[in-house]
């Protein structure tokens, strides 16, 4: 058996509950592909602050850099909301992304047929939606300097800086064009080039890379129009590439097409490094109740197999198991609508179903 080591950062709130399920699934499926997966679990976010007085330590970051592959739960919660910005759990996330250089955040937005009715948007609008959002993750206004708060004539003000360099746009553009080549060969680049200098640089740089991909059709869309188009006609999109701030907002809007935040996985990649995490947060309102939907974390484990372990078949197997859960009618509370043929399930019941699916497949082999 080949041995692979990764780091697991379960984090806060429901993070540990959903990460435990994802790890069980990951280990089980990897074993079927002759890979023994070992995960070193470390504290992160608020949990790390409680133990070490900061949301992430240098030792934890070093371990992530050494192992290169990280499965993350979620961070944050009301207990840490009043801490200074550098001590808040979210600071650990930004630091981890920056230190690992994971500059491209990949968010597949698929509407599962079994859940089309669970969305607040009309079924005929969303069914068949398959968008692949590539969000730049280590630049833009979340990282730009200077950032400060000061005062002018007794009136306090704050400054953030939205900055993009040509090379930053080039590398994320390549990720998007490469992804499009494996799909419908269309890239839509989203910016605010009618107003922002940084967006004009973004658009110019995207066009430079497009020259290397004549087989991929490129279009541009302003972010305000895009926010509307995602809801109006989501099927028009194939790959979407955009900056950090716009991607953050658009991908959460797109998540509602799928019915629940609890369904959406993400992969953040750069070089050999990868951070895999559900899109949702730590859901403090349901933490510890055993009712969290673990499927986004499990789908993130599938992306880990695809992009870091290069085990495409394992990824497909995990994705098929998620589909099987939904087809069985089991629904966690976030998805449950009392529709005939569906049953309310807790985290453990979903986990048991998933693991049983793999055992059956194993027995069949
Ligand atoms: P959230 O995603 O945690 O929760 C929003 C709503 O969705 C809640 O009602 C929650 O119960 C529900 N929900 C989310 N995930 C679910 C799941 N897997 N199963 C069932 N229901 C689920 O967002 P929020 O409430 O805005 O933020 C809570 C905390 O999480 C905050 O501290 C925030 O900063 C943090 N946060 C962290 C991340 C991250 O770690 N990447 C992302 C977003 C928010």
């Amino acid at each position: 058996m080949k041995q692979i080591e990764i780091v697991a950062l379960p984090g806060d709130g429901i993070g540990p509950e959903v990460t435990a399920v994802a790890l069980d699934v990951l280990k089980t499926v990897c074993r079927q592909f002759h890979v023994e997966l070992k995960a070193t679990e470390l504290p992160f976010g608020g949990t790390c602050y409680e133990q070490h007085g900061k949301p992430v330590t240098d030792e934890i970051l070093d371990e992530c850099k050494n192992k290169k592959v990280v499965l993350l739960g979620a961070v944050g919660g009301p207990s840490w909301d009043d801490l200074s910005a550098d001590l808040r759990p979210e600071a650990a996330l930004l630091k981890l992304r920056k230190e690992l250089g994971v500059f491209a955040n990949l968010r597949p937005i698929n509407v599962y047929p079994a859940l089309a009715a669970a969305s607040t948007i009309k079924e005929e609008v969303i069914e068949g939606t398959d968008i692949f959002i590539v969000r730049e993750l280590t630049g833009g206004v979340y990282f730009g300097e200077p950032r400060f708060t000061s005062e002018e004539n007794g009136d306090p003000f704050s400054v953030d800086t939205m900055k993009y360099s040509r090379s930053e746009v080039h590398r994320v553009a390549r990720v998007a064009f490469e992804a499009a080549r494996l799909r419908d060969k269309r890239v839509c680049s989203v910016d605010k080039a009618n107003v922002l200098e940084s967006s004009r640089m973004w658009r110019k740089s995207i066009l430079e890379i497009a020259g290397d991909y004549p087989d991929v059709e490129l279009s541009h869309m302003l972010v305000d129009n895009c926010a509307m188009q995602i809801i109006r006609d989501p099927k028009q999109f194939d790959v979407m590439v955009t900056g950090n701030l716009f991607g953050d907002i658009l991908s959460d809007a797109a998540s509602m097409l799928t019915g629940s935040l609890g369904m959406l996985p993400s992969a953040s990649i750069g070089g050999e490094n990868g951070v895999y995490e559900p899109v949702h947060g730590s859901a403090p309102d349901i933490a510890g109740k055993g009712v969290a939907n673990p499927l986004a974390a499990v789908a993130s484990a599938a992306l880990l197999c695809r992009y870091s372990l290069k085990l495409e078949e394992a990824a497909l197997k995990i994705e098929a198991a998620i589909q099987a859960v939904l087809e069985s009618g089991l629904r966690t509370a976030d998805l449950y609508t009392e529709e005939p043929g569906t049953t309310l399930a807790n985290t453990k019941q979903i986990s048991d179903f998933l693991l049983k699916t793999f055992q059956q497949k194993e027995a069949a082999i």
Side-chain angles (χ1 to χ4, degrees):
M1 277 235 187
K2 188 176 163 191
Q3 313 246 333
I4 292 182
E5 293 190 44
I6 68 165
V7 172
L9 303 174
D12 310 319
I14 61 166
E17 299 167 44
V18 297
T19 306
V21 180
L23 273 178
D24 278 349
V25 165
L26 197 53
K27 287 179 182 172
T28 307
V29 173
C30 278
R31 224 174 290 128
Q32 295 181 346
F33 289 87
H34 311 291
V35 170
E36 193 185 331
L37 190 108
K38 190 172 163 259
T40 308
E41 283 190 39
L42 296 169
F44 195 65
T47 323
C48 185
Y49 176 81
E50 297 305 329
Q51 289 181 29
H52 300 287
K54 42 178 136 168
V56 63
T57 64
D58 290 343
E59 292 72 25
I60 293 170
L61 285 173
D62 283 346
E63 190 68 1
C64 294
K65 280 192 239 173
N66 284 338
K67 302 277 176 9
K68 298 185 189 317
V69 184
V70 177
L71 183 69
L72 191 107
V75 296
S79 334
W80 307 290
D81 276 352
D82 296 329
L83 293 172
S84 61
D86 57 324
L87 292 179
R88 283 176 62 112
E90 291 78 4
L93 271 182
L94 296 184
K95 210 164 177 176
L96 178 74
R97 291 168 182 168
K98 195 75 179 173
E99 294 268 329
L100 288 191
V102 287
F103 62 85
N105 181 236
L106 316 178
R107 293 191 182 187
I109 311 277
N110 297 306
V111 174
Y112 293 95
L115 288 185
S119 174
T120 49
I121 301 171
K122 284 190 202 128
E123 218 169 317
E124 65 262 28
V125 173
I126 56 166
E127 63 193 355
T129 294
D130 179 9
I131 312 177
F132 193 81
I133 301 184
V134 180
R135 165 188 167 197
E136 200 290 327
L137 200 61
T138 53
V141 71
Y142 290 1
F143 291 95
E145 296 285 348
R147 63 163 65 208
F148 61 91
T149 293
S150 184
E151 208 176 272
E152 218 165 41
N153 306 323
D155 191 12
F157 70 94
S158 297
V159 171
D160 291 291
T161 301
M162 189 184 269
K163 175 182 165 194
Y164 267 117
S165 71
R166 188 183 187 206
S167 58
E168 277 176 316
V169 184
H170 275 184
R171 63 184 184 177
V172 77
R174 285 201 185 281
V175 172
F177 280 99
E178 292 292 337
R181 274 194 167 158
L182 301 175
R183 298 169 46 97
D184 199 36
K185 298 192 173 55
R186 291 183 293 123
V187 169
C188 176
S189 168
V190 180
D191 60 36
K192 188 71 185 168
N194 55 342
V195 178
L196 298 174
E197 274 305 315
S198 56
S199 275
R200 284 192 273 275
M201 165 62 79
W202 177 276
R203 195 174 280 208
K204 190 164 169 274
S205 310
I206 292 275
L207 277 166
E208 286 162 0
I209 295 303
D212 293 345
Y213 297 86
D215 51 323
V216 177
E217 181 193 309
L218 172 68
S219 60
H220 302 277
M221 195 177 275
L222 295 176
V223 63
D224 37 356
N225 182 28
C226 184
M228 188 260 279
Q229 295 295 339
I230 277 184
I231 308 299
R232 193 187 73 84
D233 177 20
K235 280 188 280 242
Q236 70 182 282
F237 297 107
D238 179 26
V239 174
M240 182 186 291
V241 62
T242 189
N244 208 342
L245 172 66
F246 301 155
D248 194 0
I249 299 167
L250 292 175
S251 54
D252 266 26
S255 74
M256 281 325 290
L257 303 171
T258 67
S260 167
L261 264 179
M263 292 304 299
L264 283 180
S266 82
S268 305
I269 57 169
E272 290 183 0
N273 297 338
V275 177
Y276 300 86
E277 58 182 310
V279 168
H280 62 72
S282 58
D285 52 335
I286 56 166
K289 295 184 179 160
V291 297
N293 181 351
L295 294 178
V298 172
S300 305
L303 297 182
L304 188 154
C305 290
R306 175 166 296 132
Y307 295 111
S308 281
L309 308 188
K310 310 290 179 210
L311 288 175
E312 176 64 20
E313 276 187 57
L316 291 173
K317 205 163 189 174
I318 295 174
E319 286 164 352
I322 293 172
Q323 193 89 31
V325 169
L326 297 175
E327 280 164 13
S328 78
L330 290 180
R331 302 275 186 278
T332 39
D334 54 310
L335 298 175
Y336 185 63
T337 53
E338 294 182 4
E339 205 186 321
T342 60
T343 316
L344 183 63
N346 60 26
T347 313
K348 183 165 184 316
Q349 286 167 308
I350 301 285
S351 171
D352 289 347
F353 186 97
L354 285 165
L355 294 174
K356 216 166 71 197
T357 309
F358 299 127
Q359 278 153 13
Q360 279 161 359
K361 297 246 167 80
E362 204 161 22
I365 296 167

